[in-house]
């Protein structure tokens, strides 16, 4: 048996209790997905046969949900089967990026960007660097003490010279984000963060 936690989210149409994985699955002719009145549900599976089928003791009454769980398990197992090769490639990429930072005495410390004084941030304001990821803060601070401020935006940057390596490495790490055995520490790479905000980082 394969023990693995797989959560399948699905929808139940209020009108007739029809089950679907997406709103598109539940649309009728001439209807738009946003017009579907449905309730969001989920089922969790923790036991599968060695052939990757949902255990009979946990099987849903809906075949579409069982099939989705089995597909999700198959995808996870396929990704995990690529872990060794991906780790090897990721470590090689990380080494090249880290070496470039060291050889050129580049700092990976966070840079504060005061949006009130400098305006919105964009790559053109940091020649030689490129943004490979953007993340907006979801801190609960903004719903409390910081409610008068806009959420901080974090731009992850690397030098243009290693942009392709960084993007490939980031894609590998993202691919394995749910694989707890992947060596994220060993594939960490140098980068710098530009924090665009209208307030200090309390």
């Amino acid at each position: 048996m394969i023990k693995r936690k797989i959560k399948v989210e699905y929808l139940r149409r209020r009108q007739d209790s029809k089950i679907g994985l997406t709103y598109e699955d539940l649309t009728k002719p001439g209807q738009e997905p946003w017009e579907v009145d449905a309730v969001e549900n989920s089922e969790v599976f923790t036991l599968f046969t060695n052939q990757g089928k949902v255990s009979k003791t946990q099987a849903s009454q809906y075949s579409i949900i069982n099939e989705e769980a089995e597909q999700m398990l198959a995808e996870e197992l396929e990704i995990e089967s690529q872990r060794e090769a991906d780790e090897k490639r990721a470590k090689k990429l990380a080494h090249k990026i880290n070496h470039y930072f060291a050889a050129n005495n580049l700092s990976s410390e966070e840079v504060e960007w005061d949006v009130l004084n400098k305006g919105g941030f964009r790559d053109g304001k940091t020649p030689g660097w490129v943004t490979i990821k953007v993340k907006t803060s979801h801190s609960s601070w903004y719903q409390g003490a910081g409610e008068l401020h806009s959420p901080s935006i974090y731009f992850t940057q690397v030098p243009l010279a290693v942009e392709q390596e960084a993007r490939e490495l980031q894609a590998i790490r993202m691919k394995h984000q749910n694989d707890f055995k992947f060596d994220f520490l060993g594939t960490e790479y140098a980068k710098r963060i530009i924090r665009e905000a209208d307030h200090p980082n309390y």
Side-chain angles (χ1 to χ4, degrees), residues 96-106 190:
K96 183 172 182 179
I97 297 167
N98 295 338
H99 177 75
Y100 187 87
F101 266 75
N104 292 280
N105 294 314
L106 299 175

Side-chain angles (χ1 to χ4, degrees), residues 34-35 38 67 96 109 171 196:
W34 58 267
E35 297 177 304
E67 291 167 3
K96 183 172 182 179
E109 292 185 7
E196 178 192 275

Side-chain angles (χ1 to χ4, degrees), residues 13-148:
R13 193 162 59 196
R14 291 182 192 272
Q15 182 183 25
D16 54 10
S17 294
K18 181 179 179 181
I19 299 298
L21 298 176
T22 67
Y23 282 95
E24 286 78 6
D25 293 340
L26 300 178
T27 57
K28 295 180 178 181
Q31 185 181 37
E32 296 294 331
W34 58 267
E35 297 177 304
V36 175
D37 184 15
V39 178
E40 297 179 355
N41 293 281
S42 66
E43 286 195 37
V44 176
F45 302 88
T46 58
L47 201 60
F48 297 81
T49 68
N50 290 333
Q51 287 71 45
K53 300 297 182 182
V54 172
S55 167
K56 289 182 179 179
T57 60
Q58 294 187 343
S60 170
Q61 61 178 309
Y62 305 107
S63 60
I64 188 175
I65 296 175
N66 293 324
E67 291 167 3
E68 179 67 9
E70 291 162 4
Q71 178 62 31
M72 291 172 69
L73 174 67
E75 290 173 1
E76 281 194 11
L77 295 176
E78 175 63 21
I79 288 173
E80 290 173 12
S81 72
Q82 299 168 16
R83 180 193 304 130
E84 185 176 349
D86 285 348
E87 274 186 0
K88 184 177 180 180
R89 175 62 178 165
K91 288 178 179 178
K92 183 176 180 180
L93 292 166
H95 176 76
K96 183 172 182 179
I97 297 167
N98 295 338
H99 177 75
Y100 187 87
F101 266 75
N104 292 280
N105 294 314
L106 299 175
S107 172
S108 57
E109 292 185 7
E110 186 172 288
V111 176
E112 293 289 324
W113 186 275
D114 187 337
V115 69
L116 298 177
N117 293 328
K118 298 182 178 181
F121 175 77
R122 57 183 173 76
D123 279 4
K125 296 183 178 181
T126 52
W129 294 79
V130 62
T131 298
I132 61 170
K133 183 171 68 172
V134 180
K135 180 180 179 182
T136 301
S137 174
H138 296 292
S139 172
S140 59
W141 180 79
Y142 295 103
Q143 281 74 54
E147 61 183 1
L148 298 179

